[in-house]
């Protein structure tokens, strides 16, 4: 689908479908919607009353153009909700809703009003960015394993979606926004694919190949892969312990993006790459295990970010660190009560083999600890407890640095991703004290599981380093459609937020 903005009159576009909008409670359309209505001899005004079109968010009314001089074949009126409530999230949703409807009626060419940029007073750039993102995320489907659905999807593809506005400056801002959105959407949709693919395909080796592919596609990205032999030599005992029960070898992936700018800040992005989590001998019940192919969601976020930065080119040196392994059972698998020596030198008593994410991340943190970082951020589908606290659409954010935390929260807000701060309660650290090792991998208490997991990670964070941990156990995966642009499956969560953060980091 080609997305672009052009200067012109909406009512003169000869397209299969013309999209106009209405705020809730408005009965006489104004602006571009008004101009279209006029060309239709006030048909919209009449239908708004007859069909009880209230303008509620995501409400739609499809009108066939019969005898008017307007060249468009059909007109779609979409509800924007109350004028006072208009924001980029609503624009993204409304655009996604209209794309789905356009596909349903097999429209190939669509022209649309720039939602919210008129009376809604949203900046043209922001409105177009939200529209373009809504389009590309709603256009995503994972039908690789569904022959009939895949064929249908291919048939229903749009050729073009054109945003039309009479203001030249708004149009040029919109075109810049569309490009930015296209660059990040590529990364988000890669992240979704990686989570959606089953564990049969997505093994640690598969993630390695993905990273190598990203590096070979860009001169700014290089990739170093540590195999089990190297990991053993290094002493990555925690990662290797988790991997023991699997025939698939573990790896530690190290991607480096070097910007053209000199003396830039350095950041490390760590992603949990657990390609399947059975829980190990602390076995998960079947109903909890069935979705555990998603346990590499953190790695998918990091790879998605790397796929996008080849185009967005942030002026930051970015390292992507992915410890990757399966967590299975065999005669060689670790057992509850085992003690291992991690890469940091700290010994860990593994009392629960299902708390494996923190183990592989502990080694990843130790791996980068000899270098100086301006920030470290890790992404992990780490705890069910975080979902108990925040539900399945909100990620928990933990940080030892207020400035980093605030910057991440403000990027999340700008991108309408739901992230909520949780505290690193130092008093709870006691619950990780082991009787026979330096630390144990689960808390003695039964509460605050997301916090104690974060406190465990904190023990391995290099000293004096701003660090943030995002527990994405909930939002990495949607078990049903979250909204019109986030369909069931992998979500690519946090990619938009981090790309925004990297662009604006001071
Ligand atoms: N991968 C899971 C966490 C998870 C749960 C991710 C649900 C996505 C959805 C993690 O490895 C795990 O099993 N954590 C345990 C920790 C516990 C044993 C302390 C959990 O949350 O139950
Ligand atoms: Zn687990
Ligand atoms: Zn896990």
């Amino acid at each position: 689908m080609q997305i672009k903005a052009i200067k012109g009159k909406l009512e003169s576009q000869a397209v299969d479908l013309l999209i106009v909008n209405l705020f809730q409670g408005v009965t006489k359309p104004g602006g571009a919607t008004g101009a279209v209505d006029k060309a239709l001899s006030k048909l919209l005004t009449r239908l708004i009353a007859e069909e009880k079109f209230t303008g509620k968010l995501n409400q739609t009314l499809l009108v066939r153009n019969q005898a008017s001089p307007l060249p468009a074949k059909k007109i779609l009126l979409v509800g924007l909700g109350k004028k006072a409530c208009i924001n980029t999230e609503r624009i993204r949703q409304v655009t996604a809703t209209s794309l789905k409807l356009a596909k349903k009626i097999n429209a190939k060419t669509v022209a649309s009003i720039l939602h919210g940029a008129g009376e809604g007073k949203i900046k043209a750039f922001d409105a177009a960015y939200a529209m373009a993102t809504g389009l590309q995320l709603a256009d995503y489907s994972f039908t690789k394993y569904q022959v009939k659905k895949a064929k249908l999807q291919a048939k229903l593809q749009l050729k073009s979606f054109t945003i039309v506005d009479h203001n030249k400056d708004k149009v040029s801002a919109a075109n810049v926004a569309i490009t930015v959105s296209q660059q990040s959407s590529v990364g988000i949709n890669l992240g979704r694919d990686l989570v959606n693919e089953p564990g049969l395909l997505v093994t640690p080796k598969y993630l390695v190949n993905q990273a190598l592919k990203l590096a070979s596609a860009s001169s700014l990205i290089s990739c170093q892969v540590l195999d089990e032999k190297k990991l053993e030599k290094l002493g990555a005992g925690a990662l290797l312990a988790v991997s023991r029960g699997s025939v698939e070898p573990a790896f530690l992936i190290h991607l480096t993006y070097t910007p053209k700018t000199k003396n830039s800040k350095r950041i490390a992005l760590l992603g949990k790459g657990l390609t399947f989590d059975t829980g190990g001998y602390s076995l998960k019940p079947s109903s909890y295990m069935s979705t555990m192919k998603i346990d590499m969601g953190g790695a998918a976020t990091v790879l998605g970010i790397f796929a996008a930065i080849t185009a967005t080119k942030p002026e930051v040196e970015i390292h992507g660190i992915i410890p990757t392994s399966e967590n299975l059972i065999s005669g060689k698998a670790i057992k509850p009560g085992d003690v291992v020596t991690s890469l940091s030198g700290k010994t860990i008593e593994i009392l629960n083999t299902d708390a494996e994410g923190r183990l592989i991340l502990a080694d990843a943190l130790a791996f980068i600890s000899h270098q100086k970082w301006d920030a470290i951020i890790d992404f992990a589908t780490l705890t069910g407890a975080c979902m108990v606290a925040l539900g399945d659409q909100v990620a928990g954010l933990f940080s030892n640095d207020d400035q980093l935390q605030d910057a991440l929260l403000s990027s999340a807000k700008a991108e309408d991703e739901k992230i909520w701060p949780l505290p690193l309660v130092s008093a709870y650290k006691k619950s990780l004290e082991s009787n026979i090792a330096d630390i144990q991998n689960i808390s003695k208490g039964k509460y605050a599981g997301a916090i104690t997991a974060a406190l465990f990670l904190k023990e391995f964070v290099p000293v004096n380093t701003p660090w943030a941990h995002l527990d994405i156990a909930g939002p990495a995966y949607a078990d049903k459609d979250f909204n019109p642009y986030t369909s069931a499956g992998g979500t690519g969560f946090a990619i938009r937020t981090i790309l925004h953060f990297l662009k604006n980091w001071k």
Side-chain angles (χ1 to χ4, degrees):
M1 166 180 42
Q2 188 201 40
I3 308 171
K4 62 175 187 303
I6 61 164
K7 182 175 174 319
K9 285 186 176 149
L10 193 57
E11 63 275 21
S12 4
Q13 305 304 312
V15 286
D16 295 338
L17 184 69
L18 202 62
I19 298 172
V20 291
N21 63 31
L22 201 71
F23 282 118
Q24 194 166 345
V26 175
T27 49
K28 287 197 185 74
T33 306
V36 169
D37 190 33
K38 202 170 150 207
L40 287 167
S41 315
K42 300 274 169 174
L43 176 65
L44 291 181
T45 307
R46 287 199 300 282
L47 285 176
I48 287 165
E50 279 171 35
E51 300 290 326
K52 298 195 172 55
F53 187 88
T54 59
K56 229 174 78 186
L57 181 67
N58 288 322
Q59 191 184 7
T60 55
L61 178 69
L62 185 64
V63 183
R64 187 184 297 276
N65 182 19
Q66 276 157 336
S68 90
L70 196 94
K73 286 189 194 141
K74 287 177 185 166
I75 298 96
L76 177 69
L77 181 64
V78 294
L80 290 183
K82 292 200 182 99
K83 193 164 138 187
C85 300
I86 187 72
N87 58 26
T88 47
E89 172 63 12
R90 289 185 162 212
I91 294 172
R92 200 178 297 111
Q93 287 200 14
V94 157
T95 313
T97 303
S98 10
L99 176 83
K100 285 187 177 159
L101 203 137
K103 281 170 108 172
K104 212 157 134 191
I105 62 166
N106 203 14
K108 294 291 159 213
T109 54
V110 178
S112 173
I113 192 166
L114 182 55
H115 296 301
E119 277 193 66
K121 301 210 163 51
I122 308 264
K123 281 192 197 127
F125 179 94
D126 296 337
Y129 177 69
M131 284 183 74
T133 307
L135 287 174
Q136 289 162 102
L137 299 188
D139 204 26
Y140 174 86
S141 64
F142 188 76
T143 50
K144 186 175 161 187
Y145 300 108
Q146 294 165 303
V147 181
K148 262 193 188 162
K149 253 193 175 172
K151 270 199 187 134
L152 184 69
Q153 282 296 341
K155 229 177 75 190
L156 294 180
Q157 279 308 307
L158 243 68
K159 274 206 194 81
S160 64
F161 189 104
T162 311
I163 298 170
V164 185
D165 198 278
H166 60 268
N167 182 306
K168 169 170 124 289
D169 296 337
K170 283 187 181 174
V171 168
S172 52
N175 276 316
V176 177
I178 290 166
T179 307
V180 176
S181 159
Q182 277 163 335
Q183 294 168 340
S184 58
S185 297
V186 167
I188 296 166
N189 288 340
L190 170 72
R192 291 165 101 178
D193 272 346
L194 290 172
V195 169
N196 286 333
E197 282 287 2
L200 180 65
L201 183 76
V202 177
T203 57
K205 181 85 199 155
Y206 187 90
L207 292 184
V208 165
N209 288 335
Q210 284 293 314
L212 291 171
K213 211 165 121 187
L214 288 170
S216 67
S218 166
S219 60
L220 302 176
I221 298 179
S222 65
C223 182
Q224 182 201 8
V225 180
L226 282 78
D227 60 12
E228 287 194 343
K229 223 168 123 193
K230 283 191 193 135
L231 289 168
E232 222 150 287
K233 226 169 151 186
L234 266 179
L239 171 56
L240 289 168
V242 172
S243 185
R244 273 181 74 91
S246 168
V247 292
E248 295 290 343
F251 295 96
L252 198 139
I253 302 166
H254 182 180
L255 283 159
T256 307
Y257 161 85
T258 315
K260 292 246 162 73
T261 22
K262 293 239 151 56
N263 302 322
S264 49
K265 286 197 179 193
R266 301 180 76 244
I267 192 168
L269 304 175
L270 275 61
K272 173 177 172 183
L274 215 291
T275 58
F276 198 86
D277 185 11
T278 66
Y281 279 109
S282 311
L283 195 64
K284 284 184 186 295
S286 316
S287 61
Y288 286 86
M289 201 195 293
S290 57
T291 54
M292 278 302 133
K293 66 173 185 184
I294 70 149
D295 215 14
M296 35 55 71
T301 297
V302 173
L303 292 169
I305 292 166
F306 269 80
I309 57 178
T310 43
T312 60
K313 297 192 173 61
E315 297 181 340
V316 180
E317 185 180 313
I318 307 165
H319 294 248
I321 314 287
I322 298 171
T324 177
S325 151
E326 290 186 327
N327 186 21
L328 304 188
I329 290 174
S330 82
K332 291 192 90 183
I334 38 160
K335 306 161 290 295
D338 281 347
V339 175
V340 297
T341 304
S342 67
L343 181 49
S344 69
K346 280 197 179 85
T347 57
I348 305 170
E349 184 185 12
I350 301 172
L351 285 172
N352 189 319
T353 60
D354 198 12
E356 83 299 333
R358 60 196 79 180
L359 296 173
I360 69 172
L361 285 167
D363 275 357
L365 284 163
F367 176 69
I368 58 167
S369 66
H370 55 279
Q371 290 184 46
K372 185 97 193 84
W373 301 98
D374 294 298
I376 297 174
I377 307 175
D378 76 74
F379 309 90
T381 47
L382 205 63
T383 66
C386 197
M387 296 176 74
V388 173
L390 300 172
D392 61 359
Q393 296 198 28
V394 183
L397 171 64
F398 298 87
S399 183
N400 61 4
D401 186 276
D402 288 347
Q403 229 180 329
L404 178 61
Q405 169 158 312
D406 289 348
L408 286 170
L409 287 173
S410 99
S411 288
K413 193 153 184 255
E415 291 289 344
D416 304 309
E417 289 199 293
K418 299 183 186 83
I419 289 175
W420 199 253
L422 292 172
L424 288 160
V425 183
S426 55
Y428 297 170
K429 219 175 86 182
K430 250 186 147 20
S431 70
L432 294 170
E433 278 172 11
S434 159
N435 289 334
I436 65 162
D438 295 330
I439 192 167
Q440 63 183 43
N441 80 328
I442 51 163
S443 157
K444 288 191 195 81
K446 56 181 171 181
Y447 304 122
I451 297 177
T452 50
L455 286 170
F456 180 93
L457 293 181
K458 189 166 176 272
E459 289 306 300
F460 298 88
V461 172
V463 285
N464 298 326
T465 309
W467 160 73
H469 157 58
L470 263 185
D471 193 331
I472 57 169
Y477 177 78
D479 59 355
K480 54 181 182 310
D481 294 1
F482 277 172
N483 57 45
Y485 63 88
T486 314
S487 51
T491 60
F493 188 82
I495 296 176
R496 294 210 313 269
T497 296
I498 300 303
L499 291 173
H500 183 279
F501 167 81
L502 292 170
K503 197 162 142 188
N504 297 287
W505 194 25
K506 297 262 153 45

